[in-house]
Amino acid sequence: MVYIDSCIFLNVIKREASYWSDSLKLLLAAERGDIEIVASTLVLAEVASHKGDVDPAKRDEIIERYLTAAPVLWYELDLFVVDDTRRICDEYKMSGADAAHMATAVRAKAEYLVSNDKRFPYGQAVGGVRIIRPMVLWDATIDDVHVDQEAAVSP
């Protein structure tokens, strides 16, 4: 199982040049069933309420395709997760939302938490969950090649 942080969805929505292709490949892998996504409802709330340079139509398309229609194992923020969040905030000097994502990933027994957020302790494992940036965690497919080609042609 792979916990995908909110910023991965926002990278795709905003088509951020540095992050778009690797983030999209991750979402496509989940859509194909190559990886199983686990997420907190906080992910949905953060993506749905993001302000700034987000096209609402693109945001809604990504939410529908990768969070509503795709198979996601959802976790709620309950008092136990919040208690773990507080401990993670203190121990790893993370923000509340990031620590809540981490605590949820631990609760779900995810293998990875994937993010591009600079505040995560990359290369470490928290509660058995490895924190990584987007990368191919499945057998590469033609979809991955097409995403890389599109990224190379249109930044």
Side-chain angles (χ1 to χ4, degrees):
M1 283 191 292
V2 179
Y3 189 101
I4 299 179
D5 187 21
S6 308
C7 67
I8 301 300
F9 297 93
L10 293 168
N11 296 153
V12 174
I13 292 166
K14 297 192 286 185
R15 199 178 172 105
E16 294 176 305
S18 306
Y19 304 118
W20 175 80
S21 63
D22 288 336
S23 295
L24 179 59
K25 287 190 281 188
L26 193 65
L27 298 183
L28 290 170
E31 184 178 54
R32 286 190 309 268
D34 292 341
I35 60 172
E36 184 179 12
I37 293 180
V38 60
S40 161
T41 51
L42 178 58
V43 168
L44 183 55
E46 287 181 330
V47 173
S49 66
H50 187 78
K51 295 192 181 345
D53 56 346
V54 170
D55 173 12
K58 184 67 175 172
R59 177 201 61 210
D60 292 348
E61 174 191 331
I62 296 299
I63 288 172
E64 175 61 30
R65 183 171 176 181
Y66 299 111
L67 289 170
T68 305
V72 176
L73 181 58
W74 290 104
Y75 277 78
E76 298 290 334
L77 293 179
D78 60 24
L79 293 176
F80 299 107
V81 172
V82 171
D83 191 48
D84 292 342
T85 297
R86 187 172 355 137
R87 182 187 50 76
I88 290 170
C89 278
D90 293 343
E91 188 173 338
Y92 294 93
K93 309 300 182 225
M94 296 172 74
S95 73
D98 290 340
H101 290 305
M102 190 75 248
T104 305
V106 171
R107 169 67 54 87
K109 296 180 175 51
E111 189 174 352
Y112 301 98
L113 182 144
V114 183
S115 181
N116 279 315
D117 189 323
K118 62 184 173 203
R119 295 172 290 208
F120 280 100
Y122 293 98
Q124 293 187 35
V126 174
V129 179
R130 290 182 28 201
I131 304 165
I132 62 171
R133 294 195 183 274
M135 64 175 59
V136 175
L137 300 168
W138 55 91
D139 292 332
T141 69
I142 194 70
D143 287 342
D144 300 321
V145 173
H146 288 153
V147 170
D148 287 336
Q149 288 172 340
E150 184 178 343
V153 184
S154 60

